[in-house]
Amino acid sequence: MLATALSDPLDDRATHLARMTRFADALDSKFRIPGTPFRFGWDSVLGLLPGVGDAASATMAFGLVAYAASLGIRFSLVARMAFNVAVDLVVGSIPLVGDIFDFAFKANRRNVALLRREWRMDDA
């Protein structure tokens, strides 16, 4: 209890951001196509399973948004993050086109970048 009271809020943000970044990377860029700079994650892999895969990856992505919301970020940012996931779900569910879109859009990494900018923890 005392450790929580004395902890630095920026350290907590960094911890949450690191956790969310690891999760987003697993979903969007865990694997690399050998010999290329192209990366993909479990979202793209699951997207190959019609219907069920897109629903599973969207559930995980919305979990990331819910986690961000639980940290008290602005509603407008939560809404933008949810919109990114919804776009990924809708377009990603289109056969073939959706698979290519999933490979390029990376909604989870976009959402972590939004949160990073919100907390002004970007590298710039």
Side-chain angles (χ1 to χ4, degrees), residues 67-111:
Y67 181 72
S70 75
L71 299 176
I73 63 172
R74 294 179 293 122
F75 175 78
S76 60
L77 185 60
V78 173
R80 186 166 176 195
M81 292 171 77
F83 178 77
N84 285 341
V85 175
V87 167
D88 189 39
L89 173 63
V90 170
V91 179
S93 65
I94 301 169
L96 190 59
V97 172
D99 297 325
I100 295 167
F101 181 79
D102 276 341
F103 186 77
F105 187 66
K106 302 188 184 322
N108 301 293
R109 290 182 51 92
R110 286 174 186 259
N111 287 342

Side-chain angles (χ1 to χ4, degrees), residues 2-25:
L2 182 61
T4 303
L6 297 176
S7 68
D8 184 357
L10 289 178
D11 287 342
D12 291 342
R13 285 182 176 182
T15 300
H16 292 301
L17 194 58
R19 183 177 297 141
M20 294 172 74
T21 299
R22 282 191 305 274
F23 190 70
D25 285 346

Side-chain angles (χ1 to χ4, degrees), residues 7-57:
S7 68
D8 184 357
L10 289 178
D11 287 342
D12 291 342
R13 285 182 176 182
T15 300
H16 292 301
L17 194 58
R19 183 177 297 141
M20 294 172 74
T21 299
R22 282 191 305 274
F23 190 70
D25 285 346
L27 289 175
D28 289 341
S29 60
K30 182 170 181 69
F31 310 107
R32 186 174 56 83
I33 297 174
T36 73
F38 300 116
R39 301 188 73 82
F40 63 97
W42 288 109
D43 181 39
S44 296
V45 173
L46 291 171
L48 296 173
L49 302 170
V52 136
D54 293 315
S57 63

